[in-house]
Amino acid sequence: MPNTTETADTAGVLSVMRPPDARSRPGIRTELGQLISLQILNWRWTWRTFLVLGTILPVLYGLMLGTALRHSTPGAVSQAQALIGAVLLSASVDSMGKTSAHFVNLRQTGGLDHLLRLPVRPALLIVSTGAAFCAFALPGIVATIVLDAWLLDVELAVSPLAVLVVPVAVFAYVGIGALIGGLTPTPELASPLSLLVSLASLGAGAVVLPAPLLPPALQAVGDFNPATYIADALRGALLPGDHPHLAISVLITCVFTATAVVSAGAWVRRWAA
């Protein structure tokens, strides 16, 4: 069932965003600002679920994973692995699920058709969604980092690179969520599919588990899993020590995120048709 609160909010904000008969297109910054305001107002009532799924669930996940790894792979490396897994879960599970449900809702209620008649730049619609959901997700991600680092006794060494890597990680999952929401027929299918993709990305390769604990097949799949490089970039941005592949991981993360966002933007008009 479409969310009535979201539908009402979308209609109300869209009516003042731009007049239906407006012929001139605003500048990119103006349009992006209007779209971000639309998305934030549209989702203002959902901070409670971001708190639960974006903070409490990842903190418990990291704690349980770290406790299990402490017995199977003693040492600080396993605890740091659990911390990064919790951060990835916080960045992915709720942002991707809400993005997919949001775009299914826009399609079903006619909001997407209305937006594209204004007209709105499709890529900016995806970017504005990512920016709004970053604003909601970042407090939970920061809380997850601090709490799990304390609970797992992991030393942090946050570098300025975190200002780039953490939002880009959220944007990557927003792009995937937009693609899922555009290609699935109902929210009932989009939400579990998003959760499945999130969990599969955490399990394929040495993302949350050390490579020696994984079967060879999963280790091989991990080389093609974007979450592998997102996790490595997060380690380099949040944890001390040498990270020889950090530059490559950050580059791959940025390229994947840009590809996901651009691909979603390219498909938006087809979803509205």
Side-chain angles (χ1 to χ4, degrees):
M1 292 291 292
N3 190 289
T4 54
T5 306
E6 180 182 351
T7 304
D9 284 348
T10 301
V13 178
L14 284 177
S15 65
V16 300
M17 180 179 164
R18 287 187 63 203
D21 58 349
R23 297 181 180 180
S24 61
R25 169 175 283 186
I28 290 179
R29 287 187 298 179
T30 301
E31 184 176 329
L32 182 59
Q34 291 174 337
L35 286 170
I36 291 174
S37 298
L38 164 66
Q39 301 290 35
I40 289 178
L41 289 172
N42 195 24
W43 286 91
R44 67 184 183 274
W45 48 270
T46 195
W47 64 269
R48 297 172 185 83
T49 58
F50 271 97
L51 174 65
V52 174
L53 293 180
T55 306
I56 298 175
L57 179 62
V59 168
L60 293 177
Y61 173 82
L63 180 60
M64 290 187 293
L65 181 62
T67 302
L69 289 176
R70 182 180 288 118
H71 297 289
S72 60
T73 311
V77 173
S78 64
Q79 302 304 97
Q81 198 98 357
L83 171 65
I84 296 302
V87 174
L88 269 178
L89 185 66
S90 181
S92 67
V93 66
D94 209 26
S95 297
M96 185 161 55
K98 283 206 167 22
T99 303
S100 63
H102 176 57
F103 278 95
V104 172
N105 243 342
L106 279 180
R107 288 167 44 217
Q108 291 185 338
T109 60
L112 190 58
D113 297 295
H114 183 82
L115 276 169
L116 296 179
R117 282 197 301 267
L118 288 177
V120 163
R121 296 171 177 89
L124 290 188
L125 179 59
I126 309 298
V127 172
S128 65
T129 303
F133 286 179
C134 268
F136 286 118
L138 284 176
I141 293 174
V142 172
T144 299
I145 294 170
V146 173
L147 290 174
D148 268 340
W150 173 59
L151 292 169
L152 298 173
D153 195 24
V154 174
E155 180 185 355
L156 292 176
V158 181
S159 75
L161 191 61
V163 177
L164 168 67
V165 171
V166 175
V168 166
V170 177
F171 264 87
Y173 288 106
V174 167
I176 298 171
L179 288 170
I180 293 173
L183 298 173
T184 51
T186 64
E188 291 78 12
L189 179 60
S191 294
L193 183 58
S194 298
L195 180 60
L196 179 63
V197 171
S198 177
L199 296 178
S201 71
L202 296 179
V207 179
V208 299
L209 293 175
L213 297 181
L214 295 172
L218 282 181
Q219 294 183 37
V221 170
D223 293 336
F224 303 96
N225 179 14
T228 300
Y229 304 98
I230 297 174
D232 193 54
L234 286 170
R235 290 187 199 99
L238 300 175
L239 302 175
D242 295 329
H243 303 278
H245 306 297
L246 177 59
I248 295 176
S249 294
V250 171
L251 177 61
I252 292 175
T253 298
C254 291
V255 170
F256 173 78
T257 299
T259 302
V261 170
V262 170
S263 299
W267 277 84
V268 162
R269 292 196 182 279
R270 298 189 183 186
W271 301 339

